[in-house]
Amino acid sequence: MLEHFFKLSENNTSVRTEITSGLTTFIAMGYIIFLNPAVLSMTGMPSQGVFLATILTIVTGTLITGLFANLPYAIGPSIGMQAMFTYTIVFGLGFTWQQALGMVFLVGLVDVVITLTKLRASIVKAIPVQLKHAIAAGIGLFIAYIGLKNAGFINFIVGGENIVTLNNHAFNQADKAGQINTLLANGGTTPTLANFNTAPVLLALIGFLILVVLVIKKVRGAYLLSVVITTVIGIPMGVTNLNIDIANSFSMTFHDFQTVFGAALGADGLWSMFTTPKQILVVILTVFSMGLSGLFDAIGTFIGTGMTTGIFSKKDQKEFEEGKGFKSKMDRGLVADTFATMLAGIYGSSNTTTFIESAAGINAGGRTGLTSVVVAIGFIFSIVAAPLVGVVPSAATAPILIVVGISMMNEFKAIDWNDLEVAIPAFFTSAFMALSYSISYGIAAGFILFIVVKLARHKRYEITPVLWVIALLFMLNFVAMAIG
């Protein structure tokens, strides 16, 4: 039955290999069930509820990928979109977490429509390759910068007088989100190196060094293993919280899940965002930026891991770019990804993506959807880890953001920095994401400057209609912001 459904022989694999590969991927990405609640709970969302929403999102999206697309990929909340959800949409733009979930649902809904109509492939072809690389690298910078601050490695001088340390204590408590929001919105903040003289910061440094060693030595499950080791080390240091009622924690998980489940479609969610023309424009641009980032992320993972292993043939990629149906595996994979994001918004999580950690399972021989089914089963059983959500300190998860961000820096090498025609829009795309705390503003700056540069070089023919429309919308948004 498994042989026939997943076409194992046709893909040169076996049940044993697929199970081993699925377990490998599960271990490699298991850290996300602790990282996602840690980041999203800063907005005021209950971490236990986010934990269960994260697992349900992964299980649903990964099962769709395995059973519908027959691909060995796992789908889960994107680290880049976690950052955008918390720091750009909630802290930066001032939306509530319920409204942010509404945007996640809207991104998924729009992506489903444009994917089913093949418009998604047209958008991919319309964006210059150099800007795609700049967007990916910029998200990496953004994630690493947030990781440095979550770890407490960076202090902030506000107005030249008071130093506010964004350390683990601040990020462990949702009620301090207002303090963080005020700080990030304050134009007088100046980053400085922290004094490594507090237990949370020292623990984060230890955790970072542990993770670096594990990653360099290519230890399987390095991220998850570093979380466990750092959490244990944090016990004698007084950073790890052991005051957890295990029995109550399970009941609290399901109770808190009721708070986040469906909030995206409630009165305080999706329907509360369209109050003024300015807010409508901001929502449209934010949804577009989230969708664009997720699209490039997913396709990048597919191409980076699927082309060399034979999962996606050249014929399959050509079918994706030129075909009108959904014959290609890549098409079906993207359909799974879009439905997963829409469901993530309903469950109570940030946007999903095809996890790059799937490469671990693929390297172990995974070639079909059976690998994904095994991953999903693994996450179903991980619900028993619910009590640990309140135990794991931010010092154990922040290093992951730094290392993941660093791993995305390889996108910079694909940019021709010797050509200013390419370098100028690429720089502003990537730099603005980190420095302005907004993926949207990075994309806006890059697209607008791309058009300016091409017009200056009399290369108007290189500016696609899609770029003109996107740049115009961003310009309208900036004008609306200027006039208040």
Side-chain angles (χ1 to χ4, degrees):
M1 180 178 177
L2 293 177
E3 162 67 34
H4 176 72
F5 186 86
F6 293 106
K7 302 177 181 178
L8 300 180
S9 297
E10 182 180 323
N11 289 280
N12 300 314
T13 185
S14 65
V15 173
R16 181 177 180 178
T17 298
E18 294 293 296
I19 292 176
T20 301
S21 301
L23 291 174
T24 301
T25 297
F26 167 70
I27 293 172
M29 63 177 289
Y31 68 88
I32 197 65
I33 64 175
F34 300 114
L35 180 61
N36 201 44
V39 176
L40 298 193
S41 64
M42 299 176 201
T43 66
M45 297 180 71
S47 60
Q48 296 289 125
V50 176
F51 169 81
L52 187 53
T54 300
I55 290 178
L56 291 177
T57 297
I58 294 171
V59 170
T60 305
T62 303
L63 282 178
I64 294 175
T65 301
L67 300 177
F68 171 68
N70 195 23
L71 289 172
Y73 291 95
I75 289 181
S78 163
I79 294 179
M81 292 302 100
Q82 291 171 8
M84 186 172 185
F85 184 101
T86 299
Y87 292 93
T88 298
I89 299 176
V90 178
F91 291 167
L93 298 177
F95 288 99
T96 64
W97 63 262
Q98 292 92 338
Q99 292 172 327
L101 288 177
M103 289 191 199
V104 173
F105 171 80
L106 201 55
V107 169
L109 182 62
V110 171
D111 276 354
V112 166
V113 173
I114 66 176
T115 298
L116 295 179
T117 58
K118 299 294 289 186
L119 179 60
R120 206 175 191 190
S122 300
I123 293 176
V124 171
K125 290 186 285 187
I127 307 301
V129 174
Q130 301 279 359
L131 285 184
K132 294 176 186 176
H133 291 300
I135 289 172
I139 292 175
L141 276 177
F142 186 32
I143 293 171
Y145 189 34
I146 289 172
L148 290 170
K149 288 195 288 187
N150 285 19
F153 295 167
I154 297 177
N155 285 341
F156 283 83
I157 298 177
V158 183
E161 296 179 2
N162 299 321
I163 295 180
V164 180
T165 303
L166 295 187
N167 57 24
N168 292 282
H169 293 302
F171 283 91
N172 275 337
Q173 301 178 46
D175 59 359
K176 291 192 178 182
Q179 174 189 350
I180 301 169
N181 187 18
T182 301
L183 175 62
L184 298 179
N186 191 320
T189 58
T190 304
T192 63
L193 185 65
N195 292 320
F196 292 83
N197 56 3
T198 62
V201 178
L202 287 173
L203 180 61
L205 179 59
I206 293 171
F208 174 69
L209 294 176
I210 290 172
L211 180 56
V212 167
V213 171
L214 293 175
V215 169
I216 294 298
K217 294 179 73 66
K218 297 183 180 180
V219 175
R220 286 186 179 181
Y223 292 116
L224 182 59
L225 188 57
S226 73
V227 169
V228 174
I229 295 174
T230 306
T231 300
V232 172
I233 294 175
I235 295 175
M237 296 178 68
V239 179
T240 299
N241 176 27
L242 293 180
N243 297 319
I244 300 295
D245 184 341
I246 295 180
N248 185 57
S249 179
F250 277 111
S251 61
M252 185 62 68
T253 296
F254 291 93
H255 176 271
D256 287 350
F257 178 65
Q258 296 177 30
T259 301
V260 300
F261 180 74
L265 304 181
D268 296 328
L270 182 64
W271 310 111
S272 66
M273 296 187 293
F274 306 102
T275 54
T276 65
K278 177 182 176 181
Q279 195 170 35
I280 292 174
L281 182 59
V282 171
V283 171
I284 291 173
L285 292 175
T286 304
V287 166
F288 171 78
S289 298
M290 294 171 82
L292 194 64
S293 301
L295 173 60
F296 293 156
D297 197 351
I299 290 180
T301 300
F302 283 160
I303 293 176
T305 61
M307 300 302 286
T308 57
T309 58
I311 294 174
F312 299 115
S313 63
K314 291 183 178 180
K315 180 181 178 181
D316 193 81
Q317 188 175 9
K318 184 177 181 181
E319 174 65 29
F320 166 70
E321 295 177 350
E322 301 177 3
K324 295 182 179 180
F326 293 91
K327 297 179 181 179
S328 75
K329 289 184 178 180
M330 197 174 293
D331 271 312
R332 295 196 295 271
L334 288 177
V335 169
D337 182 72
T338 57
F339 273 100
T341 287
M342 186 169 66
L343 291 171
I346 296 175
Y347 287 142
S349 178
S350 53
N351 311 51
T352 62
T353 189
T354 303
F355 257 64
I356 190 61
E357 282 80 3
S358 299
I362 292 173
N363 289 336
R367 293 293 182 272
T368 73
L370 182 55
T371 293
S372 298
V373 172
V374 173
V375 174
I377 293 173
F379 276 102
I380 290 175
F381 283 107
S382 69
I383 292 177
V384 300
L388 298 179
V389 174
V391 174
V392 177
S394 292
T397 56
I400 296 175
L401 296 173
I402 300 173
V403 175
V404 169
I406 292 172
S407 69
M408 296 175 71
M409 295 298 98
N410 66 333
E411 295 288 342
F412 277 128
K413 68 182 180 182
I415 300 172
D416 185 3
W417 295 104
N418 293 317
D419 184 356
L420 286 180
E421 189 176 336
V422 171
I424 290 174
F427 169 79
F428 278 93
T429 297
S430 54
F432 262 42
M433 286 187 186
L435 300 180
S436 70
Y437 252 64
S438 172
I439 292 175
S440 299
Y441 291 162
I443 294 175
F447 283 15
I448 292 171
L449 282 169
F450 178 85
I451 290 177
V452 170
V453 168
K454 292 301 178 182
L455 291 177
R457 293 295 301 273
H458 305 290
K459 294 182 178 180
R460 186 170 182 171
Y461 58 89
E462 293 187 13
I463 307 173
T464 63
V466 171
L467 280 177
W468 277 113
V469 172
I470 296 171
L472 177 61
L473 289 173
F474 277 124
M475 286 297 295
L476 289 174
N477 181 51
F478 289 142
V479 170
M481 291 171 59
I483 62 179

